[in-house]
Amino acid sequence: ELENQLVAKSKTLDELKQSLASNGSAEQTPEAQSLRIAELCEMKDSIVNQVAQLKASMESILEQWRAYDEIYAEVSLMTTRYLYCIDQCKPSEEEASLEALKKQVKTLQ
């Protein structure tokens, strides 16, 4: 999307250059127009560089999010497994009663 916006801005800048070069106001000298065009070109180059830096930064951030998603999925799966194991290890209410425990002790003896 940023690249599309940059292309659109570049086209607009080129149109402005052509318009300025062809129409040229009476107040500005050709030298002043050339300087302004040079300034606009420098601004365009600066924007291109900023977009390239932003793109590289965003790619790095996206890669970090992908790694986070993978690790989160693994941790979530392990947590679910541990919770299942804990749930399976809990004695039921019947087994937890004192009488049931006494009965188990007698059976084991």
Side-chain angles (χ1 to χ4, degrees), residues 9 14 20 22-23 56 59 72 79 87 100:
K9 296 290 183 187
D14 291 338
L20 187 61
S22 64
N23 294 336
E59 287 174 0
Y72 179 81
T79 302
D87 189 52

Side-chain angles (χ1 to χ4, degrees), residues 12-40:
T12 304
L13 181 61
D14 291 338
E15 290 171 4
L16 285 172
K17 284 183 201 176
Q18 291 175 355
S19 174
L20 187 61
S22 64
N23 294 336
S25 66
E27 299 171 3
Q28 289 187 339
T29 63
E31 293 83 14
Q33 290 176 355
S34 295
L35 287 174
R36 181 65 181 147
I37 290 172
E39 288 175 10
L40 291 173

Side-chain angles (χ1 to χ4, degrees), residues 25-65:
S25 66
E27 299 171 3
Q28 289 187 339
T29 63
E31 293 83 14
Q33 290 176 355
S34 295
L35 287 174
R36 181 65 181 147
I37 290 172
E39 288 175 10
L40 291 173
C41 288
E42 286 179 25
M43 290 170 61
K44 176 188 166 192
D45 291 341
S46 173
I47 290 171
V48 168
N49 288 336
Q50 289 175 3
V51 168
Q53 290 173 353
L54 181 61
K55 188 176 180 182
S57 176
M58 291 301 294
E59 287 174 0
S60 171
I61 290 170
L62 286 173
E63 185 60 36
Q64 290 175 0
W65 274 108

